[in-house]
Amino acid sequence: MEDAVNDRPEWTALPDLASRKFGGTVMWATDELFAEKENLVNPWVPAHQTETFGPKGQVYDGWETRRHREPGDDQAVIRLGLAGAITGVIVDTAFFKGNYPPFVSVEACAVDGYPNAAELAEADWDVLVKRGAAAGHTENSFEVGGSKRYTHVRLTMHPDGGVARLRVHGTPIPDPRLLDLGALDLAALENGAVVTGCSDMFYSSPNNLFSPGLAAHQAEGWETARRRDGGNDWVTVRLAGAGVVRFAELDNSNLKGNAPGWASLSGRDGDGEWIELLPKTRLQPDTRHRFALAEGPEVTEVRLDIYPDGGMARLRLFGALSERGRADLASRFEAAQG
């Protein structure tokens, strides 16, 4: 289904599992003579300045290989920043007009630990996109679907050319063996949390709220348009699993003239009822606010309300998974082994 606002597939609202902001990295490529492979996972929109030449030619914000004069294809191997189930991929050829690949393929594999590129060459790779036609200067979208958990992807250009970005949209599925289930951020994407709703995302995605690390600038958070209707903005997140939230961090760093004046938190309990976790509380701009919450019941989803609008850099919800939450997390992981 297409997004009526920007005509992009709805699944592009899911996190980009390959993004550098989550720790994704391009481990290896057959060639990168014209432009570096690392550009494939840059989180920002590709940029371009014409007639900007280096010693190897026009400078591109993407990955570009030399022209083949013999049979063969070019490949790049990416370790996902967030392992998970892949719903769709975007092969973005922005600004590559006469030098894009006419066809691309995408494969994925799941490997424990930290293998190098040579070891990954021996892995079992599943085909996600089988020699799909690509156009130049275009976000070429390919729906994948499926629920299997992957850790790495491999992009192949047939035969050569340039790709600005590879976006791998999907749902993070953490390994429970690598989490402290008694003390973790229940809202972190890397722990398996999922954004379930949002009133407005005019300037930036609510997924940014639950990304790792601190926001370097205001575009790395969630920011809404200015409201003129007397209402307020909100976002909801399904937690990594059912659990008890003990501390909340509401961080509006870098947001000064556009910080919300107040915020509140509520949680959905086992009966589907919303209960107050943090009452409407005044906020200061450009500040990391930390609140100890009263001991509450198990919740599965949390809603952040900001008043009346503005932006938030990060939302952290520290606590513990309940027995039900731990069982559900383990079940999701097992089911995604494929």
Side-chain angles (χ1 to χ4, degrees):
M1 181 180 296
E2 300 296 316
D3 186 319
V5 175
N6 56 23
D7 203 35
R8 301 182 77 212
E10 287 186 351
W11 45 260
T12 59
L14 296 171
D16 175 9
L17 306 180
S19 175
R20 183 63 183 167
K21 73 179 179 180
F22 297 129
T25 187
V26 186
M27 301 176 63
W28 171 87
T30 51
D31 181 78
E32 52 181 330
L33 186 138
F34 287 116
E36 296 81 3
K37 65 185 185 299
E38 286 80 9
N39 290 327
L40 281 172
V41 296
N42 287 339
W44 55 84
V45 175
H48 186 68
Q49 184 174 344
T50 60
E51 299 184 7
T52 304
F53 293 96
K56 296 180 180 179
Q58 170 67 44
V59 176
Y60 279 96
D61 183 10
W63 169 48
E64 186 184 8
T65 68
R66 73 191 76 201
R67 302 184 189 216
H68 282 196
R69 300 309 186 201
E70 56 188 34
D73 298 316
D74 282 317
Q75 289 186 326
V77 173
I78 295 95
R79 184 181 67 235
L80 299 177
L82 298 174
I86 299 171
T87 304
V89 298
I90 297 285
V91 180
D92 186 354
T93 56
F95 305 108
F96 290 102
K97 299 178 180 179
N99 49 354
Y100 63 92
F103 300 95
V104 294
S105 299
V106 180
E107 302 160 280
C109 70
V111 182
D112 281 340
Y114 306 96
N116 60 31
E119 292 165 335
L120 286 170
E122 304 301 318
D124 294 326
W125 292 85
D126 295 335
V127 176
L128 304 183
V129 179
K130 184 178 181 180
R131 201 177 175 86
H137 194 46
T138 299
E139 286 192 341
N140 298 278
S141 61
F142 303 94
E143 188 166 357
V144 175
S147 57
K148 184 175 178 179
R149 179 181 185 268
Y150 293 108
T151 58
H152 299 76
V153 295
R154 183 165 64 189
L155 169 66
T156 302
M157 298 191 293
H158 304 284
D160 54 38
V163 171
R165 299 288 188 271
L166 176 66
R167 308 294 194 197
V168 182
H169 294 279
T171 304
I173 302 176
D175 184 341
R177 298 170 297 180
L178 304 179
L179 298 178
D180 181 350
L181 304 183
L184 74 166
D185 180 358
L186 295 169
L189 295 177
E190 61 185 348
N191 293 339
V194 177
V195 174
T196 54
C198 178
S199 61
D200 182 273
M201 58 180 85
F202 184 87
Y203 287 108
S204 46
S205 169
N207 283 314
N208 292 342
L209 278 173
F210 312 106
S211 299
L214 301 176
H217 49 74
Q218 70 178 44
E220 290 190 354
W222 167 56
E223 186 182 358
T224 71
R226 301 191 187 205
R227 294 191 74 101
R228 308 300 189 190
D229 59 3
N232 74 281
D233 285 315
W234 54 269
V235 62
T236 54
V237 57
R238 189 183 71 218
L239 302 180
V244 176
V245 183
R246 302 191 186 107
F247 299 93
E249 183 176 293
L250 279 63
D251 179 4
N252 59 17
S253 296
N254 309 304
L255 296 147
K256 299 176 181 179
N258 48 358
W262 303 265
S264 65
L265 294 170
S266 53
R268 191 190 293 271
D269 65 16
D271 296 324
E273 299 294 327
W274 288 97
I275 58 174
E276 182 180 89
L277 300 179
L278 178 72
K280 186 175 179 180
T281 302
R282 185 171 66 109
L283 302 181
Q284 296 295 332
D286 192 29
T287 301
R288 292 175 67 188
H289 307 79
R290 190 172 175 87
F291 302 101
L293 305 182
E295 186 72 21
E298 171 189 277
V299 295
T300 59
E301 192 173 1
V302 167
R303 170 170 166 147
L304 166 68
D305 281 270
I306 59 174
Y307 304 91
D309 54 29
M312 193 72 68
R314 296 288 187 268
L315 173 63
R316 308 295 189 202
L317 300 171
F318 300 104
L321 289 173
S322 64
E323 289 302 317
R324 178 162 70 103
R326 296 178 186 217
D328 289 346
L329 186 66
S331 177
R332 287 202 305 273
F333 178 73
E334 292 299 324
Q337 296 310 296

